[in-house]
Amino acid sequence: MQVIQNKSQLREALKRARAGGKQVGFVPTMGYLHDGHAALIDRARRENDVVVVSVFVNPTQFGPNEDLAAYPRDADRDMALMRTHGVDLAFFPTVDELYPQGYTTYVSVDGPMTQTLCGRSRPGHFRGVATIVTKLFHLVAPDRAYFGQKDCQQVAVIQQMVRDLDFDVEIVACPTVREADGLAMSSRNVYLTAEQRAQAPGISRTLFAAREMVQKGERRAAVVSEYIKKSIVTIDSAAIDYVSIVDSKTLSDLELLSGEVLIAVAVKIGRTRLIDNIRFEV
Amino acid sequence: MQVIQNKSQLREALKRARAGGKQVGFVPTMGYLHDGHAALIDRARRENDVVVVSVFVNPTQFGPNEDLAAYPRDADRDMALMRTHGVDLAFFPTVDELYPQGYTTYVSVDGPMTQTLCGRSRPGHFRGVATIVTKLFHLVAPDRAYFGQKDCQQVAVIQQMVRDLDFDVEIVACPTVREADGLAMSSRNVYLTAEQRAQAPGISRTLFAAREMVQKGERRAAVVSEYIKKSIVTIDSAAIDYVSIVDSKTLSDLELLSGEVLIAVAVKIGRTRLIDNIRFEV
């Protein structure tokens, strides 16, 4: 595995790696890799000749009062995991490499898709995501890029951006990987105290129960939403940011559940903001 | 020459044309081609194996009260010129092809560079330019792209965008081509009445005289600017939109002229808005 910090070296390494029409799979990450990332890497490994993983805690997608400084980092552990999973190129750029002095260009996916769910609680977040993904796509020029469905809105926004801006890349959305007790894997889970960690699976349990409720016949979003809220407030030190029941493609609110439905929640447990979601056909 | 209207055909044609590592030069235009465009095409022809020209009157770069509907169009004449100058692929997309229903993604170069000169009089214009150029770059994936210095702010904005978003393309800025009497070539010159057309070279004459003034020792931007304004108002039915004396890279206003200087003007002659500029080392 080649470990690269700067853009020109990355371009050169990719030029060589791509020679003869080799296909490139790309997994952009913020590091502190877990089994969710490993699943993306494994899939990229199966579907491409060359696998590139980037590790970059992107400052433009964090709000001023968010956890940019505290975000967990462990490059050595990340590289070990990448080697185990057969990554070819590991890209660890610095902030100055990607946002030099005088940087001023941003990509925005406007409209309802970025004004709902996390877009409402995190203004500017998806502009930061769209911008960094654009930059990384330009640097890596992948044939396929892999994203986890845990960040369901991110996947929808990136798919819209790729369609709108005519990027020549296939976006592959992969299922959320969960701990044995159902908690969605996230680098942020490390923030939880032992007590909070024990409570956190209440979020996914609630989502699974809500899905069952719908599968048994309930179609009114308000009723399902009310059930979820009541269930989550029973979790110790949990505060609901949002509970949303939306169309999985457009992310627009549903009153009656039909088609491919996405139920997404954001919950603060103590100071840690966790997101989770479940998607199913009604 | 292959004439193409849709994106997937363009991608396929380019895949074939690029085979064996051929270099692609790209000239994006709004059509109604003149000798200025021809100079861009000729240069692209000399420096690349494959030359692609797009013709698209991009609605997102026009304001609500601007000349989108009236903008001159003549696809047959454009194709004849392209054939004469050895273009390989002519791309004539429709508006629906590039901005389908539900389109919501935009690229913005923020900061002073887009708030001055034409950015001040045409809010949203450079967002439209950055967005369409991004889309076309993704579709064509050129090695080099050619732009005329007549649109000096457009060149600066695109260079900033390419740098910021890590596009892997070389931007080639080419000198303004002028009519025998000095008028900068522009598709919009066709709007001028015979009388206005006779007056219009007063704009470039003024710019040349201003340069001479500086070359003879004047360094105070206010004095040069005042001279230009007084000279332009003597042109029949001319109204000044702006006269700006700026640093050619950052487009920030200069008080004293030094380094590479750009003097840029926008003037309305009757209902036709013309721009011109001159760039020189002080």
Side-chain angles (χ1 to χ4, degrees):
Chain A
M1 183 175 81
Q2 200 179 340
V3 178
I4 292 174
Q5 278 207 303
N6 84 43
K7 300 191 286 192
S8 55
Q9 279 169 12
L10 179 68
R11 284 200 208 277
E12 276 173 42
L14 274 161
K15 210 171 168 184
R16 282 193 301 274
R18 204 191 303 277
K22 296 244 175 67
Q23 300 269 298
V24 175
F26 177 44
V27 183
T29 81
M30 298 216 301
Y32 213 73
L33 306 179
H34 51 63
D35 286 357
H37 299 106
L40 303 178
I41 295 171
D42 291 342
R43 177 130 182 222
R45 184 70 282 168
R46 287 196 300 277
E47 298 179 349
N48 302 274
D49 305 304
V50 179
V51 174
V52 182
V53 175
S54 64
V55 170
F56 182 63
V57 182
N58 174 38
T60 65
Q61 72 190 67
F62 285 80
N65 299 312
E66 293 181 3
D67 58 343
L68 173 60
Y71 198 85
R73 291 156 166 95
D74 189 340
D76 290 337
R77 219 190 52 158
D78 289 346
M79 286 190 279
L81 182 144
M82 288 187 215
R83 283 199 179 89
T84 307
H85 290 267
V87 171
D88 298 298
L89 295 175
F91 183 45
F92 282 83
T94 63
V95 172
D96 283 349
E97 184 73 6
L98 291 189
Y99 298 109
Q101 184 103 48
Y103 187 95
T104 62
T105 307
Y106 295 92
V107 179
S108 306
V109 178
D110 295 345
M113 184 177 287
T114 51
Q115 284 155 17
T116 181
L117 310 180
C118 292
R120 193 175 292 146
S121 353
R122 305 185 71 188
H125 171 65
F126 288 110
R127 189 180 86 139
V129 168
T131 301
I132 192 65
V133 170
T134 292
K135 285 169 64 66
L136 291 169
F137 281 3
H138 289 165
L139 289 165
V140 176
D143 296 280
R144 291 169 204 87
Y146 298 80
F147 293 88
Q149 278 291 5
K150 204 265 283 175
D151 299 301
C152 57
Q153 190 174 11
Q154 173 171 279
V155 170
V157 168
I158 290 170
Q159 281 169 332
Q160 174 85 34
M161 175 185 88
V162 163
R163 220 169 24 241
D164 282 352
L165 294 185
D166 300 306
F167 276 99
D168 193 12
V169 56
E170 182 191 339
I171 301 302
V172 183
C174 303
T176 301
V177 176
R178 298 181 180 280
E179 304 285 355
D181 58 12
L183 178 64
M185 288 200 186
S186 164
S187 306
R188 288 188 170 97
N189 290 347
V190 73
Y191 294 148
L192 299 170
T193 64
E195 224 164 297
Q196 290 168 342
R197 174 65 189 79
Q199 297 284 326
I203 300 171
S204 54
R205 256 199 315 274
T206 300
L207 289 175
F208 299 145
R211 177 177 56 191
E212 210 182 314
M213 193 173 170
V214 178
Q215 284 165 342
K216 283 185 175 152
E218 184 55 64
R219 292 290 178 273
R220 294 164 297 174
V223 173
V224 179
S225 174
E226 200 48 39
Y227 164 77
I228 295 171
K229 285 174 185 165
K230 281 195 174 139
S231 169
I232 288 177
V233 291
T234 68
I235 301 172
D236 275 354
S237 67
I240 292 170
D241 176 356
Y242 64 76
V243 170
S244 292
I245 301 179
V246 299
D247 177 275
S248 76
K249 294 260 171 344
T250 63
L251 306 188
S252 56
D253 285 324
L254 294 175
E255 279 187 38
L256 287 175
L257 282 72
S258 75
E260 202 187 48
V261 165
L262 174 71
I263 305 181
V265 300
V267 177
K268 270 198 146 183
I269 299 206
R271 286 170 46 234
T272 304
R273 187 174 177 279
L274 299 178
I275 58 175
D276 199 355
N277 68 83
I278 194 163
R279 168 189 305 251
F280 54 96
E281 198 68 42
V282 176
Chain B
M1 184 176 81
Q2 199 178 342
V3 178
I4 293 173
Q5 278 206 304
N6 84 44
K7 300 191 284 190
S8 54
Q9 278 169 12
L10 179 67
R11 283 198 208 278
E12 274 172 44
L14 274 161
K15 209 172 169 182
R16 281 192 302 273
R18 203 191 302 279
K22 295 245 175 69
Q23 300 269 299
V24 175
F26 177 45
V27 183
T29 82
M30 299 216 301
Y32 213 73
L33 305 180
H34 51 64
D35 286 356
H37 298 106
L40 302 178
I41 295 170
D42 290 343
R43 176 129 184 223
R45 184 69 282 165
R46 287 197 300 278
E47 299 180 350
N48 301 274
D49 306 304
V50 179
V51 174
V52 183
V53 175
S54 65
V55 170
F56 182 63
V57 182
N58 174 37
T60 65
Q61 72 190 67
F62 286 80
N65 300 313
E66 293 182 3
D67 59 342
L68 173 61
Y71 198 86
R73 292 158 166 93
D74 189 341
D76 290 337
R77 219 191 52 159
D78 289 345
M79 285 190 280
L81 182 145
M82 288 188 218
R83 284 199 180 87
T84 307
H85 290 268
V87 171
D88 300 297
L89 296 175
F91 183 45
F92 283 82
T94 63
V95 172
D96 283 349
E97 183 73 6
L98 291 189
Y99 297 110
Q101 183 103 50
Y103 186 95
T104 61
T105 306
Y106 295 93
V107 179
S108 306
V109 178
D110 295 345
M113 183 176 288
T114 51
Q115 285 155 15
T116 182
L117 309 180
C118 292
R120 194 175 290 146
S121 350
R122 305 185 70 188
H125 171 66
F126 288 109
R127 190 180 84 138
V129 169
T131 301
I132 192 65
V133 171
T134 292
K135 286 169 63 69
L136 291 168
F137 281 3
H138 289 165
L139 288 165
V140 177
D143 296 281
R144 289 169 206 85
Y146 298 80
F147 294 88
Q149 278 291 7
K150 206 265 283 172
D151 299 302
C152 57
Q153 189 173 13
Q154 173 172 278
V155 171
V157 168
I158 289 169
Q159 281 169 332
Q160 173 84 34
M161 176 186 86
V162 163
R163 220 168 25 239
D164 282 352
L165 293 185
D166 300 305
F167 275 100
D168 195 10
V169 57
E170 181 189 341
I171 301 303
V172 183
C174 302
T176 301
V177 176
R178 299 181 180 280
E179 304 287 355
D181 58 12
L183 178 64
M185 290 201 185
S186 164
S187 306
R188 288 189 170 98
N189 291 347
V190 73
Y191 294 147
L192 300 170
T193 64
E195 223 165 300
Q196 291 168 341
R197 175 63 189 81
Q199 296 285 326
I203 300 171
S204 54
R205 258 201 313 276
T206 300
L207 289 176
F208 299 145
R211 178 176 56 191
E212 211 183 315
M213 193 173 172
V214 178
Q215 283 164 345
K216 283 187 176 153
E218 183 56 64
R219 293 290 178 273
R220 293 165 298 175
V223 173
V224 179
S225 175
E226 200 50 36
Y227 164 76
I228 294 171
K229 285 174 185 165
K230 279 192 176 143
S231 170
I232 287 177
V233 291
T234 67
I235 301 172
D236 274 354
S237 68
I240 292 170
D241 176 356
Y242 64 76
V243 171
S244 292
I245 302 181
V246 298
D247 177 276
S248 76
K249 294 258 169 347
T250 62
L251 306 189
S252 55
D253 284 323
L254 293 175
E255 280 188 37
L256 288 174
L257 282 72
S258 76
E260 202 185 50
V261 165
L262 175 71
I263 304 182
V265 302
V267 177
K268 271 199 145 182
I269 299 204
R271 284 171 47 234
T272 304
R273 187 175 177 279
L274 299 179
I275 58 174
D276 199 354
N277 68 82
I278 194 164
R279 168 189 307 250
F280 54 96
E281 198 68 41
V282 177

